[in-house]
């Protein structure tokens, strides 16, 4: 009887999994770019995330083959002082948008394994709370760039 119960449980779990697509499957990334700074200074990565799903998608961070470490940060400024802190998660609301942009949320890229030049494309695997990932190509822009455009 134990086996029967277990197999029924597994069947239920698998059916449940199939019914719900992953968080990453509902998210579309646009305007992805990296601000490359001289020397080995950390680079900020920015992107707009659109969630077409009925549930929030929770960004936890990213991985990259090029940068040894990627952290999710939030910048803020108080009284002209700019600072940033680590954040565990950034929620992309259901049918909503979350923006990573200079002065706000960003992915902080450190320890490049190879030099990254403006014009290069760097792929990051955006990671969501359910373990799903969204491969996204980021365009490297120079230090004085304001956005993903020219
Ligand atoms: Cu940072």
């Amino acid at each position: 009887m134990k086996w029967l119960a277990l197999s029924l449980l597994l069947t239920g779990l698998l059916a449940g999994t199939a019914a719900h697509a992953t968080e990453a499957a509902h998210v579309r990334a646009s305007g992805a770019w990296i601000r490359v700074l001289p020397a080995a200074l950390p680079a900020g990565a920015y992107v707009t995330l659109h969630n077409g799903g009925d549930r929030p998608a929770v960004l936890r961070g990213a991985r990259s083959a090029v940068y040894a470490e990627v952290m999710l940060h939030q910048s803020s400024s108080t009284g002209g002082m700019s600072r940033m802190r680590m954040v565990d998660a950034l929620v992309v609301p259901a049918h909503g948008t979350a923006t990573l942009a200079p002065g706000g949320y960003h992915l902080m890229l450190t320890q490049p394994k190879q030099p990254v030049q403006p014009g290069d494309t760097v792929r990051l695997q955006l990671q969501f709370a359910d373990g799903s990932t969204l491969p996204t190509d980021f365009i490297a822009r120079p230090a004085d760039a304001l956005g993903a455009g020219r």
Side-chain angles (χ1 to χ4, degrees):
M1 286 324 274
K2 237 180 185 175
W3 283 110
L4 178 61
L6 182 62
S7 75
L8 284 176
L9 177 67
L10 284 174
T11 307
L13 285 174
L14 290 173
T17 305
H20 304 290
T22 63
E23 291 180 68
H26 291 298
V27 176
R28 189 168 55 81
S30 66
W33 66 288
I34 291 171
R35 174 182 278 154
V36 178
L37 298 181
L41 286 169
Y46 311 104
V47 63
T48 300
L49 300 175
H50 314 266
N51 181 5
D54 295 331
R55 295 153 182 254
V58 181
L59 180 71
R60 299 300 303 266
R63 279 209 189 108
S64 166
V66 176
Y67 292 92
E69 195 169 22
V70 183
M71 287 169 289
L72 185 58
H73 278 177
Q74 184 182 24
S75 295
S76 59
S77 62
T78 9
M81 283 282 291
S82 176
R83 61 187 61 194
M84 57 189 177
R85 65 186 184 92
M86 299 255 285
V87 289
D88 288 334
L90 171 61
V91 176
V92 191
H95 300 287
T97 297
T99 305
L100 288 78
Y105 288 101
H106 57 277
L107 292 161
M108 190 103 270
L109 314 174
T110 61
Q111 303 166 49
K113 294 169 188 171
Q114 64 204 55
V116 175
Q117 309 288 347
D120 290 353
T121 297
V122 176
R123 173 159 289 195
L124 300 186
Q125 304 284 345
L126 302 182
Q127 298 181 306
F128 292 88
D130 66 354
S132 58
T133 57
L134 181 68
T136 305
D137 287 332
F138 286 70
I139 299 169
R141 307 283 303 157
D144 60 354
L146 297 175
R150 308 290 77 86

PDB file of all heavy atoms in Angstrom, residues 28-35 44-50 100 107 120-124 126 135-141 147-149:
ATOM      1  N   ARG A  28      10.465  38.070 -20.308  1.00  0.00           N
ATOM      2  CA  ARG A  28      11.167  38.530 -21.496  1.00  0.00           C
ATOM      3  C   ARG A  28      12.099  39.663 -21.074  1.00  0.00           C
ATOM      4  O   ARG A  28      11.722  40.538 -20.294  1.00  0.00           O
ATOM      5  CB  ARG A  28      10.144  39.037 -22.517  1.00  0.00           C
ATOM      6  CG  ARG A  28      10.688  39.348 -23.892  1.00  0.00           C
ATOM      7  CD  ARG A  28       9.518  39.555 -24.868  1.00  0.00           C
ATOM      8  NE  ARG A  28       8.590  40.588 -24.394  1.00  0.00           N
ATOM      9  CZ  ARG A  28       8.800  41.893 -24.540  1.00  0.00           C
ATOM     10  NH1 ARG A  28       9.886  42.335 -25.124  1.00  0.00           N
ATOM     11  NH2 ARG A  28       7.918  42.768 -24.098  1.00  0.00           N
ATOM     12  N   ALA A  29      13.324  39.606 -21.566  1.00  0.00           N
ATOM     13  CA  ALA A  29      14.315  40.626 -21.224  1.00  0.00           C
ATOM     14  C   ALA A  29      14.493  41.561 -22.406  1.00  0.00           C
ATOM     15  O   ALA A  29      14.507  41.130 -23.552  1.00  0.00           O
ATOM     16  CB  ALA A  29      15.640  39.962 -20.867  1.00  0.00           C
ATOM     17  N   SER A  30      14.632  42.859 -22.138  1.00  0.00           N
ATOM     18  CA  SER A  30      14.917  43.796 -23.223  1.00  0.00           C
ATOM     19  C   SER A  30      15.911  44.853 -22.756  1.00  0.00           C
ATOM     20  O   SER A  30      16.049  45.112 -21.561  1.00  0.00           O
ATOM     21  CB  SER A  30      13.626  44.454 -23.731  1.00  0.00           C
ATOM     22  OG  SER A  30      13.065  45.271 -22.736  1.00  0.00           O
ATOM     23  N   GLY A  31      16.592  45.467 -23.712  1.00  0.00           N
ATOM     24  CA  GLY A  31      17.527  46.553 -23.413  1.00  0.00           C
ATOM     25  C   GLY A  31      18.629  46.152 -22.460  1.00  0.00           C
ATOM     26  O   GLY A  31      18.986  46.921 -21.566  1.00  0.00           O
ATOM     27  N   ALA A  32      19.186  44.947 -22.637  1.00  0.00           N
ATOM     28  CA  ALA A  32      20.209  44.462 -21.706  1.00  0.00           C
ATOM     29  C   ALA A  32      21.585  45.016 -22.066  1.00  0.00           C
ATOM     30  O   ALA A  32      22.035  44.877 -23.202  1.00  0.00           O
ATOM     31  CB  ALA A  32      20.241  42.935 -21.737  1.00  0.00           C
ATOM     32  N   TRP A  33      22.231  45.664 -21.106  1.00  0.00           N
ATOM     33  CA  TRP A  33      23.565  46.210 -21.377  1.00  0.00           C
ATOM     34  C   TRP A  33      24.411  46.213 -20.119  1.00  0.00           C
ATOM     35  O   TRP A  33      23.898  46.123 -18.999  1.00  0.00           O
ATOM     36  CB  TRP A  33      23.475  47.621 -21.969  1.00  0.00           C
ATOM     37  CG  TRP A  33      22.929  48.677 -21.059  1.00  0.00           C
ATOM     38  CD1 TRP A  33      21.630  48.827 -20.648  1.00  0.00           C
ATOM     39  CD2 TRP A  33      23.668  49.742 -20.441  1.00  0.00           C
ATOM     40  NE1 TRP A  33      21.517  49.920 -19.818  1.00  0.00           N
ATOM     41  CE2 TRP A  33      22.746  50.502 -19.682  1.00  0.00           C
ATOM     42  CE3 TRP A  33      25.016  50.137 -20.477  1.00  0.00           C
ATOM     43  CZ2 TRP A  33      23.135  51.633 -18.946  1.00  0.00           C
ATOM     44  CZ3 TRP A  33      25.394  51.259 -19.747  1.00  0.00           C
ATOM     45  CH2 TRP A  33      24.455  51.993 -18.994  1.00  0.00           C
ATOM     46  N   ILE A  34      25.697  46.285 -20.347  1.00  0.00           N
ATOM     47  CA  ILE A  34      26.674  46.296 -19.263  1.00  0.00           C
ATOM     48  C   ILE A  34      27.496  47.570 -19.375  1.00  0.00           C
ATOM     49  O   ILE A  34      27.907  47.948 -20.474  1.00  0.00           O
ATOM     50  CB  ILE A  34      27.620  45.077 -19.370  1.00  0.00           C
ATOM     51  CG1 ILE A  34      26.864  43.790 -19.069  1.00  0.00           C
ATOM     52  CG2 ILE A  34      28.822  45.224 -18.451  1.00  0.00           C
ATOM     53  CD1 ILE A  34      27.681  42.544 -19.373  1.00  0.00           C
ATOM     54  N   ARG A  35      27.693  48.238 -18.253  1.00  0.00           N
ATOM     55  CA  ARG A  35      28.595  49.391 -18.263  1.00  0.00           C
ATOM     56  C   ARG A  35      29.994  48.906 -17.883  1.00  0.00           C
ATOM     57  O   ARG A  35      30.232  48.497 -16.741  1.00  0.00           O
ATOM     58  CB  ARG A  35      28.117  50.461 -17.290  1.00  0.00           C
ATOM     59  CG  ARG A  35      29.108  51.626 -17.169  1.00  0.00           C
ATOM     60  CD  ARG A  35      28.628  52.627 -16.164  1.00  0.00           C
ATOM     61  NE  ARG A  35      27.641  53.539 -16.742  1.00  0.00           N
ATOM     62  CZ  ARG A  35      26.718  54.159 -16.035  1.00  0.00           C
ATOM     63  NH1 ARG A  35      26.604  53.946 -14.761  1.00  0.00           N
ATOM     64  NH2 ARG A  35      25.895  54.994 -16.627  1.00  0.00           N
ATOM     65  N   GLY A  44      28.448  47.147 -13.972  1.00  0.00           N
ATOM     66  CA  GLY A  44      27.027  47.032 -13.670  1.00  0.00           C
ATOM     67  C   GLY A  44      26.282  46.516 -14.894  1.00  0.00           C
ATOM     68  O   GLY A  44      26.568  46.923 -16.012  1.00  0.00           O
ATOM     69  N   ALA A  45      25.336  45.599 -14.668  1.00  0.00           N
ATOM     70  CA  ALA A  45      24.524  45.079 -15.769  1.00  0.00           C
ATOM     71  C   ALA A  45      23.075  45.502 -15.552  1.00  0.00           C
ATOM     72  O   ALA A  45      22.554  45.413 -14.439  1.00  0.00           O
ATOM     73  CB  ALA A  45      24.639  43.558 -15.845  1.00  0.00           C
ATOM     74  N   TYR A  46      22.450  45.963 -16.641  1.00  0.00           N
ATOM     75  CA  TYR A  46      21.111  46.546 -16.569  1.00  0.00           C
ATOM     76  C   TYR A  46      20.199  45.901 -17.605  1.00  0.00           C
ATOM     77  O   TYR A  46      20.635  45.556 -18.701  1.00  0.00           O
ATOM     78  CB  TYR A  46      21.197  48.061 -16.816  1.00  0.00           C
ATOM     79  CG  TYR A  46      22.262  48.729 -15.986  1.00  0.00           C
ATOM     80  CD1 TYR A  46      23.469  49.130 -16.550  1.00  0.00           C
ATOM     81  CD2 TYR A  46      22.077  48.912 -14.617  1.00  0.00           C
ATOM     82  CE1 TYR A  46      24.456  49.720 -15.778  1.00  0.00           C
ATOM     83  CE2 TYR A  46      23.049  49.497 -13.837  1.00  0.00           C
ATOM     84  CZ  TYR A  46      24.247  49.910 -14.418  1.00  0.00           C
ATOM     85  OH  TYR A  46      25.218  50.475 -13.648  1.00  0.00           O
ATOM     86  N   VAL A  47      18.931  45.766 -17.258  1.00  0.00           N
ATOM     87  CA  VAL A  47      17.987  45.116 -18.165  1.00  0.00           C
ATOM     88  C   VAL A  47      16.564  45.414 -17.681  1.00  0.00           C
ATOM     89  O   VAL A  47      16.345  45.682 -16.501  1.00  0.00           O
ATOM     90  CB  VAL A  47      18.248  43.581 -18.206  1.00  0.00           C
ATOM     91  CG1 VAL A  47      18.015  42.949 -16.842  1.00  0.00           C
ATOM     92  CG2 VAL A  47      17.415  42.892 -19.279  1.00  0.00           C
ATOM     93  N   THR A  48      15.638  45.383 -18.608  1.00  0.00           N
ATOM     94  CA  THR A  48      14.223  45.490 -18.243  1.00  0.00           C
ATOM     95  C   THR A  48      13.589  44.116 -18.398  1.00  0.00           C
ATOM     96  O   THR A  48      13.769  43.458 -19.421  1.00  0.00           O
ATOM     97  CB  THR A  48      13.511  46.518 -19.150  1.00  0.00           C
ATOM     98  OG1 THR A  48      14.147  47.779 -18.986  1.00  0.00           O
ATOM     99  CG2 THR A  48      12.044  46.655 -18.757  1.00  0.00           C
ATOM    100  N   LEU A  49      12.871  43.679 -17.357  1.00  0.00           N
ATOM    101  CA  LEU A  49      12.249  42.356 -17.358  1.00  0.00           C
ATOM    102  C   LEU A  49      10.733  42.512 -17.403  1.00  0.00           C
ATOM    103  O   LEU A  49      10.151  43.235 -16.592  1.00  0.00           O
ATOM    104  CB  LEU A  49      12.658  41.578 -16.106  1.00  0.00           C
ATOM    105  CG  LEU A  49      14.170  41.332 -15.958  1.00  0.00           C
ATOM    106  CD1 LEU A  49      14.472  40.668 -14.619  1.00  0.00           C
ATOM    107  CD2 LEU A  49      14.702  40.496 -17.112  1.00  0.00           C
ATOM    108  N   HIS A  50      10.129  41.844 -18.373  1.00  0.00           N
ATOM    109  CA  HIS A  50       8.675  41.875 -18.535  1.00  0.00           C
ATOM    110  C   HIS A  50       8.138  40.496 -18.176  1.00  0.00           C
ATOM    111  O   HIS A  50       8.584  39.500 -18.734  1.00  0.00           O
ATOM    112  CB  HIS A  50       8.297  42.202 -19.978  1.00  0.00           C
ATOM    113  CG  HIS A  50       9.059  43.356 -20.558  1.00  0.00           C
ATOM    114  ND1 HIS A  50       8.584  44.647 -20.532  1.00  0.00           N
ATOM    115  CD2 HIS A  50      10.272  43.410 -21.153  1.00  0.00           C
ATOM    116  CE1 HIS A  50       9.480  45.448 -21.097  1.00  0.00           C
ATOM    117  NE2 HIS A  50      10.510  44.725 -21.483  1.00  0.00           N
ATOM    118  N   LEU A 100      16.156  47.084 -14.092  1.00  0.00           N
ATOM    119  CA  LEU A 100      17.490  47.245 -13.517  1.00  0.00           C
ATOM    120  C   LEU A 100      18.147  48.372 -14.303  1.00  0.00           C
ATOM    121  O   LEU A 100      18.277  48.275 -15.533  1.00  0.00           O
ATOM    122  CB  LEU A 100      18.317  45.954 -13.644  1.00  0.00           C
ATOM    123  CG  LEU A 100      17.910  44.784 -12.733  1.00  0.00           C
ATOM    124  CD1 LEU A 100      16.684  44.067 -13.251  1.00  0.00           C
ATOM    125  CD2 LEU A 100      19.066  43.810 -12.561  1.00  0.00           C
ATOM    126  N   LEU A 107      22.877  44.192 -11.644  1.00  0.00           N
ATOM    127  CA  LEU A 107      23.713  43.028 -11.377  1.00  0.00           C
ATOM    128  C   LEU A 107      25.151  43.522 -11.387  1.00  0.00           C
ATOM    129  O   LEU A 107      25.569  44.213 -12.312  1.00  0.00           O
ATOM    130  CB  LEU A 107      23.505  41.956 -12.450  1.00  0.00           C
ATOM    131  CG  LEU A 107      22.119  41.305 -12.421  1.00  0.00           C
ATOM    132  CD1 LEU A 107      21.818  40.628 -13.754  1.00  0.00           C
ATOM    133  CD2 LEU A 107      22.018  40.299 -11.279  1.00  0.00           C
ATOM    134  N   ASP A 120      31.310  44.275 -27.122  1.00  0.00           N
ATOM    135  CA  ASP A 120      31.216  42.836 -26.876  1.00  0.00           C
ATOM    136  C   ASP A 120      29.809  42.463 -26.403  1.00  0.00           C
ATOM    137  O   ASP A 120      29.086  43.293 -25.858  1.00  0.00           O
ATOM    138  CB  ASP A 120      32.199  42.392 -25.780  1.00  0.00           C
ATOM    139  CG  ASP A 120      33.644  42.459 -26.242  1.00  0.00           C
ATOM    140  OD1 ASP A 120      33.884  42.708 -27.436  1.00  0.00           O
ATOM    141  OD2 ASP A 120      34.536  42.276 -25.390  1.00  0.00           O
ATOM    142  N   THR A 121      29.460  41.218 -26.601  1.00  0.00           N
ATOM    143  CA  THR A 121      28.218  40.685 -26.052  1.00  0.00           C
ATOM    144  C   THR A 121      28.559  39.659 -24.979  1.00  0.00           C
ATOM    145  O   THR A 121      29.387  38.785 -25.191  1.00  0.00           O
ATOM    146  CB  THR A 121      27.386  40.011 -27.161  1.00  0.00           C
ATOM    147  OG1 THR A 121      27.036  41.001 -28.127  1.00  0.00           O
ATOM    148  CG2 THR A 121      26.116  39.414 -26.587  1.00  0.00           C
ATOM    149  N   VAL A 122      27.947  39.830 -23.824  1.00  0.00           N
ATOM    150  CA  VAL A 122      28.196  38.912 -22.703  1.00  0.00           C
ATOM    151  C   VAL A 122      26.880  38.250 -22.334  1.00  0.00           C
ATOM    152  O   VAL A 122      25.876  38.927 -22.104  1.00  0.00           O
ATOM    153  CB  VAL A 122      28.761  39.652 -21.475  1.00  0.00           C
ATOM    154  CG1 VAL A 122      28.916  38.708 -20.295  1.00  0.00           C
ATOM    155  CG2 VAL A 122      30.098  40.303 -21.821  1.00  0.00           C
ATOM    156  N   ARG A 123      26.869  36.935 -22.302  1.00  0.00           N
ATOM    157  CA  ARG A 123      25.647  36.222 -21.943  1.00  0.00           C
ATOM    158  C   ARG A 123      25.584  35.989 -20.436  1.00  0.00           C
ATOM    159  O   ARG A 123      26.543  35.512 -19.831  1.00  0.00           O
ATOM    160  CB  ARG A 123      25.569  34.882 -22.670  1.00  0.00           C
ATOM    161  CG  ARG A 123      24.396  34.036 -22.189  1.00  0.00           C
ATOM    162  CD  ARG A 123      23.992  32.999 -23.162  1.00  0.00           C
ATOM    163  NE  ARG A 123      23.344  33.609 -24.335  1.00  0.00           N
ATOM    164  CZ  ARG A 123      22.633  32.902 -25.225  1.00  0.00           C
ATOM    165  NH1 ARG A 123      22.496  31.616 -25.092  1.00  0.00           N
ATOM    166  NH2 ARG A 123      22.061  33.506 -26.236  1.00  0.00           N
ATOM    167  N   LEU A 124      24.477  36.379 -19.850  1.00  0.00           N
ATOM    168  CA  LEU A 124      24.218  36.071 -18.443  1.00  0.00           C
ATOM    169  C   LEU A 124      23.034  35.116 -18.378  1.00  0.00           C
ATOM    170  O   LEU A 124      22.095  35.233 -19.163  1.00  0.00           O
ATOM    171  CB  LEU A 124      23.887  37.332 -17.641  1.00  0.00           C
ATOM    172  CG  LEU A 124      24.931  38.447 -17.566  1.00  0.00           C
ATOM    173  CD1 LEU A 124      24.447  39.530 -16.608  1.00  0.00           C
ATOM    174  CD2 LEU A 124      26.281  37.939 -17.141  1.00  0.00           C
ATOM    175  N   LEU A 126      20.112  34.586 -16.254  1.00  0.00           N
ATOM    176  CA  LEU A 126      19.322  35.150 -15.155  1.00  0.00           C
ATOM    177  C   LEU A 126      18.670  34.008 -14.400  1.00  0.00           C
ATOM    178  O   LEU A 126      18.100  33.097 -15.002  1.00  0.00           O
ATOM    179  CB  LEU A 126      18.260  36.112 -15.694  1.00  0.00           C
ATOM    180  CG  LEU A 126      18.790  37.289 -16.528  1.00  0.00           C
ATOM    181  CD1 LEU A 126      17.631  38.182 -16.967  1.00  0.00           C
ATOM    182  CD2 LEU A 126      19.831  38.094 -15.779  1.00  0.00           C
ATOM    183  N   PRO A 135      18.563  32.768 -20.383  1.00  0.00           N
ATOM    184  CA  PRO A 135      19.802  33.240 -21.011  1.00  0.00           C
ATOM    185  C   PRO A 135      19.552  34.595 -21.676  1.00  0.00           C
ATOM    186  O   PRO A 135      18.601  34.725 -22.451  1.00  0.00           O
ATOM    187  CB  PRO A 135      20.115  32.170 -22.067  1.00  0.00           C
ATOM    188  CG  PRO A 135      19.095  31.097 -21.903  1.00  0.00           C
ATOM    189  CD  PRO A 135      17.956  31.659 -21.116  1.00  0.00           C
ATOM    190  N   THR A 136      20.371  35.567 -21.356  1.00  0.00           N
ATOM    191  CA  THR A 136      20.176  36.917 -21.884  1.00  0.00           C
ATOM    192  C   THR A 136      21.513  37.495 -22.332  1.00  0.00           C
ATOM    193  O   THR A 136      22.497  37.432 -21.591  1.00  0.00           O
ATOM    194  CB  THR A 136      19.562  37.828 -20.795  1.00  0.00           C
ATOM    195  OG1 THR A 136      18.359  37.220 -20.303  1.00  0.00           O
ATOM    196  CG2 THR A 136      19.234  39.204 -21.344  1.00  0.00           C
ATOM    197  N   ASP A 137      21.540  38.046 -23.552  1.00  0.00           N
ATOM    198  CA  ASP A 137      22.763  38.656 -24.066  1.00  0.00           C
ATOM    199  C   ASP A 137      22.808  40.136 -23.711  1.00  0.00           C
ATOM    200  O   ASP A 137      21.882  40.886 -24.036  1.00  0.00           O
ATOM    201  CB  ASP A 137      22.838  38.483 -25.585  1.00  0.00           C
ATOM    202  CG  ASP A 137      23.149  37.040 -25.968  1.00  0.00           C
ATOM    203  OD1 ASP A 137      23.802  36.348 -25.156  1.00  0.00           O
ATOM    204  OD2 ASP A 137      22.741  36.616 -27.054  1.00  0.00           O
ATOM    205  N   PHE A 138      23.877  40.539 -23.053  1.00  0.00           N
ATOM    206  CA  PHE A 138      24.085  41.920 -22.646  1.00  0.00           C
ATOM    207  C   PHE A 138      25.150  42.544 -23.547  1.00  0.00           C
ATOM    208  O   PHE A 138      26.194  41.942 -23.776  1.00  0.00           O
ATOM    209  CB  PHE A 138      24.558  41.987 -21.187  1.00  0.00           C
ATOM    210  CG  PHE A 138      23.477  41.699 -20.179  1.00  0.00           C
ATOM    211  CD1 PHE A 138      22.947  40.425 -20.039  1.00  0.00           C
ATOM    212  CD2 PHE A 138      22.996  42.714 -19.357  1.00  0.00           C
ATOM    213  CE1 PHE A 138      21.952  40.156 -19.116  1.00  0.00           C
ATOM    214  CE2 PHE A 138      22.003  42.456 -18.416  1.00  0.00           C
ATOM    215  CZ  PHE A 138      21.475  41.176 -18.298  1.00  0.00           C
ATOM    216  N   ILE A 139      24.873  43.744 -24.028  1.00  0.00           N
ATOM    217  CA  ILE A 139      25.845  44.459 -24.866  1.00  0.00           C
ATOM    218  C   ILE A 139      26.718  45.321 -23.962  1.00  0.00           C
ATOM    219  O   ILE A 139      26.207  46.076 -23.136  1.00  0.00           O
ATOM    220  CB  ILE A 139      25.121  45.344 -25.900  1.00  0.00           C
ATOM    221  CG1 ILE A 139      24.264  44.474 -26.824  1.00  0.00           C
ATOM    222  CG2 ILE A 139      26.126  46.160 -26.711  1.00  0.00           C
ATOM    223  CD1 ILE A 139      23.319  45.266 -27.692  1.00  0.00           C
ATOM    224  N   ALA A 140      28.017  45.196 -24.111  1.00  0.00           N
ATOM    225  CA  ALA A 140      28.945  46.005 -23.325  1.00  0.00           C
ATOM    226  C   ALA A 140      28.996  47.420 -23.896  1.00  0.00           C
ATOM    227  O   ALA A 140      29.166  47.607 -25.107  1.00  0.00           O
ATOM    228  CB  ALA A 140      30.328  45.365 -23.327  1.00  0.00           C
ATOM    229  N   ARG A 141      28.797  48.404 -23.025  1.00  0.00           N
ATOM    230  CA  ARG A 141      28.811  49.810 -23.422  1.00  0.00           C
ATOM    231  C   ARG A 141      29.922  50.507 -22.653  1.00  0.00           C
ATOM    232  O   ARG A 141      30.298  50.074 -21.571  1.00  0.00           O
ATOM    233  CB  ARG A 141      27.468  50.482 -23.098  1.00  0.00           C
ATOM    234  CG  ARG A 141      26.244  49.766 -23.647  1.00  0.00           C
ATOM    235  CD  ARG A 141      26.033  49.989 -25.125  1.00  0.00           C
ATOM    236  NE  ARG A 141      25.922  51.410 -25.438  1.00  0.00           N
ATOM    237  CZ  ARG A 141      26.178  51.922 -26.637  1.00  0.00           C
ATOM    238  NH1 ARG A 141      26.557  51.129 -27.620  1.00  0.00           N
ATOM    239  NH2 ARG A 141      26.050  53.206 -26.858  1.00  0.00           N
ATOM    240  N   GLY A 147      22.544  54.264 -21.496  1.00  0.00           N
ATOM    241  CA  GLY A 147      21.560  53.217 -21.683  1.00  0.00           C
ATOM    242  C   GLY A 147      21.999  52.250 -22.754  1.00  0.00           C
ATOM    243  O   GLY A 147      23.134  52.303 -23.215  1.00  0.00           O
ATOM    244  N   ALA A 148      21.077  51.382 -23.149  1.00  0.00           N
ATOM    245  CA  ALA A 148      21.418  50.331 -24.113  1.00  0.00           C
ATOM    246  C   ALA A 148      21.558  50.881 -25.523  1.00  0.00           C
ATOM    247  O   ALA A 148      22.130  50.244 -26.397  1.00  0.00           O
ATOM    248  CB  ALA A 148      20.358  49.241 -24.095  1.00  0.00           C
ATOM    249  N   GLY A 149      21.056  52.115 -25.762  1.00  0.00           N
ATOM    250  CA  GLY A 149      21.080  52.693 -27.098  1.00  0.00           C
ATOM    251  C   GLY A 149      22.465  53.211 -27.466  1.00  0.00           C
ATOM    252  O   GLY A 149      23.456  52.854 -26.861  1.00  0.00           O
TER     253      GLY A 149
END
